[in-house]
Amino acid sequence: MPEALSTSAKKYDRPLNGIMTMTKTAKFSAACLLMMAAPMAFACDYPERPTIPDGSTASKEEMITAKNDITAWMTGVDDYLTCIETAEKEAVQAMEDADPADLERRDAMLSKKFDAANEQKVLLGEEFNQQVRAYNAARSSD
């Protein structure tokens, strides 16, 4: 290569390397942002299920506390569902050229999470109602 072309090419290598470095920096920054955002995606914490006292031996205060704990838990489950739905919408919007089959799988998984959480709400409500009946039966026999 002639010396003039070699010198000329070297001048342009620096900006290209700068651009390449900038691209690498941008990719690294994007990766860091995704890593920081990942825990936020998992920030949707499913609330801890409250314990239900044995209605046949529980005091009125224990039953009232259980009722309040269950109400708070159900609100927490609703908040969890809102959170995962929002996180899923954001994740889908961030996807480029999403495969329809992948979107369908993601939607099915979200539906399963909703169904499972709502089923747990129903089961906990039924369990509490059984203990309320046991509480009432124990008090009526006194």
Side-chain angles (χ1 to χ4, degrees), residues 13-29:
D13 277 349
R14 287 190 185 122
L16 286 177
N17 283 341
I19 290 171
M20 296 301 276
T21 303
M22 184 180 277
T23 302
K24 289 178 183 176
T25 303
K27 287 180 181 177
F28 179 74
S29 297

Side-chain angles (χ1 to χ4, degrees), residues 44-115:
C44 302
D45 294 327
Y46 194 83
E48 186 174 333
R49 190 178 193 272
T51 57
I52 298 176
D54 179 356
S56 62
T57 59
S59 68
K60 182 177 181 178
E61 292 76 23
E62 289 173 315
M63 294 301 287
I64 291 171
T65 298
K67 178 191 174 294
N68 293 337
D69 290 348
I70 291 167
T71 301
W73 178 80
M74 288 191 178
T75 300
V77 170
D78 291 340
D79 291 345
Y80 164 79
L81 293 174
T82 300
C83 181
I84 64 170
E85 182 176 34
T86 301
E88 180 62 18
K89 285 180 182 177
E90 290 172 359
V92 168
Q93 287 175 350
M95 295 172 73
E96 293 181 14
D97 299 324
D99 178 32
D102 187 37
L103 293 175
E104 191 173 313
R105 281 190 297 275
R106 293 178 73 97
D107 187 52
M109 182 58 73
L110 184 64
S111 292
K112 286 180 182 179
K113 289 178 182 180
F114 265 78
D115 292 346

